[in-house]
Amino acid sequence: MADAPSGIAPDPIKEEKKKRAEQKKLEKLEKFRAKQEKLAQVAAASKKDKPKKVKAIDTDAPVDKTPIGEKKILISPEMPEMPSVYNPAYVESSWYAWWEKQGFFKPVLTPDGKPKPEGLFVVPTPPPNVTGSLHIGHALTIAIQDTLVRWNRMLGKTVLFIPGTDHAGISTQSVVEKKLWVDKQLTRHDLGREDFVAQIWKWKELYGDRIHMQMKRLGASYDWDRAVFTMDPIMCKAVNENFCRLHEQGLVYRATRMVNWCVRLNTALSNLEVDYERLLSRTFLKVPGYEEKIEFGVMYNFAYPIEGSDERIVVATTRPETMLGDTAVAVHPQDTRFTKFHGKFAVHPFNGRKLPIILDDSVNMETGTGAVKITPAHDFNDYGTGKRHNLGFINIFNDDGTLNANGSPFEGKRRFDVRKEIIEELKKLDLYEGDKNHPMDIPFCSRSKDVIEPLLKPQWWVSCKEMAQEAIEAVRSGSITIRPSTSKDEWFRWLDNIRDWCISRQLWWGHRIPAYFVKIEGLNQDKADEEFWVSGRTLEEAQQKAEKKFSGTKFSLEQDTDVLDTWFSSGLWPFAILGWPDKTDDFTKFYPTHLLETGWDIIFFWVARMVMLGINHTGTVPFSEVFCHPIIRDAQGRKMSKTLGNVVDPVDVIDGISLERLHAKLHEGNLDKEEIERAQTGQKENFPNGIPQCGTDALRFTLCNYTTTSARNINLNVNVLFSDRTFCNKLWQAMRFALRRFGDDFVPQPTEQKTSKETIGDRWILHRLNDTVTKVNEGLHNRNFKSVTDIARGFCYYDLCDVYLEWIKPITSDQADAERKRSSQDTLYTALEATLKMLHPFMPYITEELYQRLPRRPGDTIPTISLAKYPLANKDYIDTEAEEALGLALEAVKAARTIVKDKYEGQKNKYELYIRDDKGLRVFAEDGDSIGSLVGIKTVKVLSASETLPDGIETLKTDHGIDVAVKKL
């Protein structure tokens, strides 16, 4: 279909009628979807107590004997014709291996090696973490991205879709450490760094392959020869360049500051890797490493004695264990309750330390007692107070959460054990003043779920303010488009208030920091002092920098043992995967990329950092569009969690899985016994009958249909996914009907252009097709996935299958007029071929299978639907006359169906249909049989306005004054 210029002004009345008709159709479709969902929920509820086994794969499916990588064998002696029933396992077999072997997903260039004149479309896929397998959220990402990728490829553009995986430093090390302990009761320290990292590489190979398999099952049309892992040499080179370049620019620096410390993982975390749980009152929470639950949500009051008197000052705290590191007590200068203590000192009851009573405007007089203990080394707010008043910074914790010598007399004990002991000791000293419920936010490590401990640590930081302003300007100027608008607003809000980024992690798995401590012979040095550090892309470069900086001295170099934050490497993704910092051929051709599609929840973790680093290193934005999809939650709106038992593997939706097998899979991970029991309970609640086999096409289509530009979350009912399998079956049966009507010797017309011999029904379906593809293209351009899928499905279900296929049954029968029959055959072919192409980006497997079963137009040598031309608007298909005529006919059909349902429902007698037309429309005169086919009545009699309807028969008048009557014979 060709592009249609718009030169004729539309009739406003007709346009309004058209809109109303379209709205009614969409409402009907939405009611159908709602009904399907309700039926699925009712069915699930009714069988909740008696779970029914679900077959993972239908054993009755046809057997595909195609050799791997070869084009699928559709007709064989064992299977001489198209199977009568749609089966996703059969339909989706063989195609991907053939696509990949044939190189259909590689970017097609012009003979001189440049992108095609139709345009360029490059998508760097967000690399999933190699900590396990993909979940349903990844399936949503792939469905959206691959839909746009396939659409652009079919538009004729040079398309590059690059896959990859992320080493995921913290989460991967955490998972492997846990597994090592469960399997062998060994820690990483028992193995040593080299052997432990080797264990992680084995894990990566296992789960990296599993992830690639899942991606292929989901139909993602990646160029696999360009697949990248964030620990590949190409990425290692880019990461070293990133650090050294920023360090040389003064944007990377070393400083001792307060960090979020994860005791369980023994590493610093960025603010974005910390989750907060809001507690309204006293709550006991499970903390890793402790058998008993720990009390939170409490404000503890205790007194410090005032030096040289018998008075005391009462302070309030939610963390009494940190009082061992207190170096002051702060009060508000205008709080008259404490005026008498100004300039005095409190005395620490355990170590005798003198604590000055300081005045600070930051103290809230209404919170607690109005007096605040200050622990500058263990509280983010107190850190600032300590800096303002030049207080001491005393670290009382070891990295593992036990107390060090500064925590005497509790040295060596665990932090939350010490909390209890301190309270008991304060009671003995008559210094404890009681406690009360207190709302608070508890910070947790997003990976280990341990309670975060603020610590002072020397770390590497990135100064972000300057780069953030450039990222803000890129969006404000339109260089980058962010959708939806809510994510755009958050972009500005977060970057306007950005803080410096802590990039060092105390891990063994990841990119080791290319920074070297210059250890000068005979000099007592502090590793926290940046003066003694140099960076180097190689050891030789670091040596040269050190020799220049410390000329004439003897020194040795020690590389930092820390690794870089995972986001520091994935922040380079769009350009590093194309060869940066080298000016490779790929970088020259394909950078900057075009679309970055991801969840809105990592726009700060990842997207902002890619933009900041991209502009800094390449001088341009790394992509021109950011599309943020909603986050998938379960049917109850809860976040997906393994311990809740609501995490869904997309392959389990594709193949189907029983509840028993879902339970068994829990033992394949790293959940402990209590977590497994909780997850099994969740699985029984979420999937009482297991998950039915839906297939990839139904899964992709449904996920796209869930995606709107306004919703932040998707509450996914897995049972609803099955309803779109019925859509696939609808297409399957439409193709079977078409092949029967074509016959064995049918050869389609050379082009899809009209022949001028079309019947009114043919003209109508082409008009509806044109309207549909126009809206689908427009919707894909605007990323309105729900609207697009609703429109496409509405056309297929209603226009094509429910109306047109029924309409042409009498026209394409063996007894029909040859010319009319051929016209409808040609039109059916055109409509079906265009429909398959239109749906292919969403549903790649079934559309390829059906496309390959269609006879080909003369001269058509396109090997796969994935390279076929996507249908576009065609002005020659516009036919408002046919649309109005069929509209009147369908009104008559509706009236006739109403009569049969209301008056004769359940009766098997034969009927006659009478239509009295006072408008003289040709559709009633020539296509009465087609109208009867839609109603299910073979005998149709069309009367003129002057003729009289038989007496005693049920009659209805349509909105346009056409009399419709049904007579029971």
Side-chain angles (χ1 to χ4, degrees):
M1 299 172 70
D3 271 317
S6 55
I8 303 173
D11 184 327
I13 297 177
K14 290 182 179 179
E15 285 296 308
E16 184 59 32
K17 288 181 181 179
K18 184 177 175 182
K19 285 181 181 178
R20 284 202 300 267
E22 193 70 36
Q23 184 61 33
K24 284 183 180 179
K25 191 168 72 174
L26 289 176
E27 288 172 358
K28 178 182 176 183
L29 186 64
E30 192 58 40
K31 285 180 181 178
F32 171 78
R33 291 278 294 161
K35 182 179 179 181
Q36 291 291 103
E37 183 169 351
K38 188 174 181 180
L39 288 172
Q41 292 171 343
V42 170
S46 66
K47 300 175 183 177
K48 193 169 185 179
D49 297 328
K50 296 180 180 180
K52 179 182 177 183
K53 289 186 177 181
V54 176
K55 290 187 289 185
I57 298 178
D58 190 347
T59 54
D60 298 328
V63 178
D64 176 19
K65 296 184 178 180
T66 306
I68 295 175
E70 299 302 310
K71 187 174 182 179
K72 188 171 183 178
I73 300 171
L74 299 178
I75 301 297
S76 65
E78 297 85 3
M79 192 164 52
E81 60 182 23
M82 183 175 176
S84 60
V85 178
Y86 165 72
N87 182 281
Y90 167 73
V91 169
E92 294 168 12
S93 62
S94 295
W95 290 120
Y96 199 96
W98 178 63
W99 288 334
E100 189 178 355
K101 183 178 179 180
Q102 293 297 314
F104 294 146
F105 303 151
K106 293 189 173 300
V108 178
L109 302 169
T110 59
D112 59 355
K114 295 180 180 179
K116 295 165 69 177
E118 289 87 348
L120 179 66
F121 189 69
V122 181
V123 178
T125 194
N129 296 342
V130 287
T131 49
S133 58
L134 300 185
H135 53 69
I136 202 73
H138 294 109
L140 173 65
T141 297
I142 289 173
I144 292 172
Q145 290 175 349
D146 196 53
T147 292
L148 294 174
V149 163
R150 288 178 180 268
W151 176 56
N152 277 277
R153 188 182 288 121
M154 294 176 75
L155 290 176
K157 297 180 183 179
T158 295
V159 172
L160 176 58
F161 192 17
I162 307 175
T165 47
D166 194 293
H167 67 280
I170 292 176
S171 56
T172 302
Q173 177 163 320
S174 175
V175 167
V176 176
E177 280 194 87
K178 188 174 182 180
K179 185 171 180 58
L180 187 64
W181 179 255
V182 170
D183 292 347
K184 301 179 180 179
Q185 285 71 56
L186 294 174
T187 70
R188 60 177 163 130
H189 300 285
D190 293 326
L191 293 183
R193 185 165 189 155
E194 185 175 341
D195 288 345
F196 177 71
V197 170
Q199 288 290 321
I200 299 182
W201 274 107
K202 290 180 182 178
W203 175 275
K204 180 267 172 185
E205 294 304 321
L206 172 64
Y207 283 96
D209 289 345
R210 178 183 295 185
I211 288 170
H212 285 180
M213 177 276 293
Q214 289 176 297
M215 289 173 164
K216 292 179 180 182
R217 290 295 306 276
L218 286 164
S221 55
Y222 296 122
D223 181 353
W224 285 104
D225 289 341
R226 287 181 166 87
V228 178
F229 176 53
T230 52
M231 292 289 286
D232 284 346
I234 187 176
M235 289 297 296
C236 292
K237 180 177 182 179
V239 169
N240 284 346
E241 178 68 27
N242 183 27
F243 183 92
C244 294
R245 187 177 294 195
L246 293 176
H247 190 231
E248 290 160 358
Q249 293 172 353
L251 295 176
V252 160
Y253 62 94
R254 189 170 179 82
T256 300
R257 290 184 180 173
M258 191 74 68
V259 298
N260 300 298
W261 186 260
C262 177
V263 168
R264 190 73 172 175
L265 299 178
N266 262 243
T267 185
L269 305 173
S270 74
N271 292 336
L272 297 175
E273 294 163 316
V274 177
D275 296 330
Y276 288 88
E277 182 174 343
R278 181 68 173 171
L279 304 181
L280 299 178
S281 62
R282 190 185 311 263
T283 306
F284 288 86
L285 299 176
K286 176 74 173 175
V287 177
Y290 292 83
E291 292 184 4
E292 295 183 359
K293 291 185 176 180
I294 308 300
E295 183 181 59
F296 296 94
V298 178
M299 182 71 81
Y300 305 91
N301 294 344
F302 70 91
Y304 273 127
I306 300 299
E307 183 186 34
S309 74
D310 57 0
E311 291 190 283
R312 41 204 255 168
I313 186 169
V314 179
V315 298
T317 181
T318 58
R319 303 170 66 218
E321 65 275 14
T322 63
M323 61 92 71
L324 298 167
D326 287 356
T327 56
V329 174
V331 298
H332 196 281
Q334 296 178 6
D335 194 334
T336 57
R337 292 174 294 177
F338 304 107
T339 303
K340 59 184 177 180
F341 296 136
H342 291 186
K344 295 187 178 182
F345 292 86
V347 179
H348 203 290
F350 298 129
N351 53 40
R353 186 184 308 130
K354 293 172 64 176
L355 311 176
I357 312 296
I358 62 174
L359 310 181
D360 197 282
D361 290 333
S362 68
V363 176
N364 187 337
M365 293 186 285
E366 306 300 322
T367 300
T369 65
V372 183
K373 59 184 284 299
I374 304 299
T375 320
H378 295 292
D379 184 277
F380 284 96
N381 292 325
D382 292 359
Y383 176 83
T385 305
K387 287 290 187 180
R388 288 193 298 275
H389 295 272
N390 198 28
L391 300 176
F393 287 74
I394 300 174
N395 175 28
I396 63 170
F397 289 120
N398 294 313
D399 289 350
D400 64 357
T402 59
L403 272 74
N404 59 28
N406 293 329
S408 180
F410 305 97
E411 182 180 0
K413 296 182 177 181
R414 300 184 303 174
R415 52 182 174 158
F416 294 125
D417 292 336
V418 171
R419 175 180 293 186
K420 294 180 180 179
E421 293 188 31
I422 281 180
I423 290 173
E424 291 304 313
E425 290 300 318
L426 289 171
K427 288 178 179 177
K428 292 177 183 178
L429 295 171
D430 195 29
L431 295 174
Y432 191 68
E433 296 284 342
D435 57 63
K436 61 180 180 180
N437 289 338
H438 181 71
M440 60 186 299
D441 295 314
I442 305 297
F444 290 94
C445 170
S446 62
R447 303 300 181 186
S448 71
K449 307 307 177 186
D450 200 3
V451 177
I452 293 297
E453 193 63 54
L455 290 182
L456 274 177
K457 287 285 185 180
Q459 302 285 316
W460 292 99
W461 303 79
V462 175
S463 177
C464 295
K465 203 70 177 176
E466 182 180 332
M467 289 193 292
Q469 289 304 310
E470 293 177 328
I472 289 171
E473 180 56 31
V475 174
R476 283 197 175 131
S477 67
S479 297
I480 296 177
T481 300
I482 297 180
R483 302 176 187 176
S485 58
T486 51
S487 294
K488 182 178 177 180
D489 294 340
E490 288 174 344
W491 176 271
F492 293 131
R493 187 163 52 251
W494 187 76
L495 287 174
D496 276 331
N497 298 284
I498 197 169
R499 297 180 179 179
D500 285 0
W501 172 17
C502 176
I503 56 172
S504 43
R505 299 290 182 267
Q506 290 64 52
L507 303 172
W508 288 355
W509 174 242
H511 294 278
R512 193 164 171 179
I513 296 177
Y516 300 80
F517 181 69
V518 184
K519 190 173 182 180
I520 300 175
E521 187 176 312
L523 185 64
N524 186 19
Q525 300 165 270
D526 183 357
K527 284 192 174 181
D529 191 345
E530 187 182 12
E531 175 64 20
F532 299 108
W533 288 85
V534 293
S535 62
R537 295 160 181 82
T538 62
L539 176 61
E540 291 74 23
E541 183 183 43
Q543 182 78 24
Q544 292 171 7
K545 287 183 177 180
E547 288 173 354
K548 182 177 180 181
K549 189 173 184 179
F550 300 100
S551 178
T553 61
K554 288 186 177 182
F555 63 82
S556 59
L557 295 181
E558 296 178 0
Q559 186 174 359
D560 197 328
T561 57
D562 291 349
V563 301
L564 288 157
D565 177 15
T566 302
W567 301 106
F568 191 76
S569 53
S570 57
L572 310 174
W573 188 250
F575 42 101
I577 58 178
L578 295 172
W580 183 89
D582 297 332
K583 289 287 186 180
T584 63
D585 189 50
D586 274 1
F587 184 83
T588 302
K589 284 189 177 77
F590 302 123
Y591 187 81
T593 65
H594 296 83
L595 173 71
L596 192 285
E597 192 280 337
T598 187
W600 61 262
D601 56 332
I602 60 171
I603 194 168
F604 313 128
F605 281 99
W606 189 41
V607 182
R609 288 164 177 171
M610 283 189 287
V611 174
M612 290 192 295
L613 294 174
I615 294 174
N616 183 276
H617 293 328
T618 71
T620 186
V621 296
F623 31 73
S624 54
E625 178 187 356
V626 176
F627 180 80
C628 299
H629 66 243
I631 304 304
I632 294 185
R633 299 180 181 273
D634 67 12
Q636 291 78 41
R638 299 175 301 179
K639 186 176 180 181
M640 296 288 186
S641 166
K642 290 180 181 178
T643 56
L644 286 177
N646 58 3
V647 171
V648 180
D649 183 336
V651 174
D652 291 340
V653 178
I654 294 169
D655 290 339
I657 188 170
S658 66
L659 179 62
E660 291 76 15
R661 178 61 188 137
L662 283 171
H663 286 347
K665 287 181 70 173
L666 294 173
H667 294 274
E668 298 171 6
N670 288 316
L671 300 179
D672 57 36
K673 182 179 179 181
E674 182 180 334
E675 289 172 329
I676 288 175
E677 291 175 354
R678 193 184 318 135
Q680 286 181 336
T681 300
Q683 287 179 338
K684 289 178 183 178
E685 177 185 354
N686 288 288
F687 320 113
N689 304 309
I691 300 174
Q693 182 194 49
C694 298
T696 298
D697 293 314
L699 172 60
R700 286 174 54 131
F701 192 88
T702 305
L703 290 175
C704 286
N705 186 252
Y706 266 111
T707 304
T708 70
T709 55
S710 58
R712 300 273 283 179
N713 298 297
I714 292 172
N715 292 356
L716 181 67
N717 185 340
V718 173
N719 291 306
V720 177
L721 292 166
F722 190 75
S723 67
D724 273 324
R725 174 174 162 161
T726 64
F727 178 36
C728 294
N729 184 61
K730 194 82 167 178
L731 292 172
W732 187 262
Q733 299 306 330
M735 176 60 74
R736 293 184 70 241
F737 171 86
L739 293 178
R740 289 196 301 269
R741 296 295 162 143
F742 293 151
D744 295 337
D745 300 325
F746 175 75
V747 177
Q749 293 291 327
T751 73
E752 71 273 19
Q753 296 305 313
K754 293 169 72 172
T755 64
S756 75
K757 297 179 181 179
E758 286 77 17
T759 67
I760 196 76
D762 301 336
R763 290 159 52 198
W764 176 82
I765 194 63
L766 293 177
H767 176 87
R768 296 297 306 132
L769 173 64
N770 179 73
D771 187 61
T772 300
V773 298
T774 299
K775 290 176 179 176
V776 166
N777 278 290
E778 180 182 353
L780 286 172
H781 178 76
N782 293 324
R783 315 308 189 221
N784 293 328
F785 293 96
K786 176 167 179 53
S787 172
V788 165
T789 46
D790 279 342
I791 290 168
R793 182 169 49 202
F795 171 80
C796 296
Y797 257 116
Y798 181 72
D799 295 336
L800 181 61
C801 295
D802 289 356
V803 176
Y804 185 67
L805 296 189
E806 286 294 334
W807 186 273
I808 65 172
K809 277 183 178 179
I811 300 175
T812 55
S813 67
D814 292 338
Q815 297 76 33
D817 175 78
E819 186 175 279
R820 283 167 59 84
K821 179 178 180 179
R822 176 66 199 200
S823 175
S824 290
Q825 287 175 325
D826 287 334
T827 302
L828 174 59
Y829 182 93
T830 294
L832 196 53
E833 180 191 44
T835 297
L836 295 178
K837 292 177 181 178
M838 177 180 67
L839 290 173
H840 177 72
F842 307 98
M843 311 168 83
Y845 289 111
I846 189 172
T847 51
E848 182 73 272
E849 173 96 9
L850 298 181
Y851 180 79
Q852 297 292 349
R853 291 182 182 275
L854 272 178
R856 307 308 288 273
R857 296 186 188 276
D860 182 358
T861 59
I862 297 173
T864 170
I865 192 172
S866 62
L867 298 181
K869 290 184 178 180
Y870 199 77
L872 300 173
N874 187 333
K875 71 179 189 310
D876 292 334
Y877 286 179
I878 298 174
D879 196 326
T880 55
E881 179 187 2
E883 183 181 38
E884 290 179 2
L886 255 292
L888 294 174
L890 293 176
E891 281 186 18
V893 169
K894 181 180 179 182
R897 287 173 175 174
T898 300
I899 295 172
V900 172
K901 180 180 179 182
D902 292 348
K903 303 299 179 181
Y904 307 121
E905 187 172 17
Q907 301 182 29
K908 300 298 183 181
N909 306 70
K910 293 182 179 181
Y911 305 96
E912 286 182 338
L913 173 62
Y914 289 84
I915 300 174
R916 185 164 60 186
D917 169 29
D918 62 352
K919 297 183 180 298
L921 286 174
R922 196 176 68 189
V923 66
F924 293 117
E926 295 184 357
D927 295 287
D929 289 346
S930 294
I931 295 172
S933 177
L934 282 165
V935 181
I937 297 176
K938 290 186 177 181
T939 304
V940 181
K941 296 183 178 180
V942 179
L943 307 179
S944 67
S946 61
E947 293 181 272
T948 304
L949 290 169
D951 293 332
I953 64 175
E954 299 295 334
T955 306
L956 281 178
K957 189 179 290 290
T958 71
D959 292 342
H960 288 84
I962 298 169
D963 293 315
V964 178
V966 176
K967 180 181 179 181
K968 186 171 71 171
L969 299 178

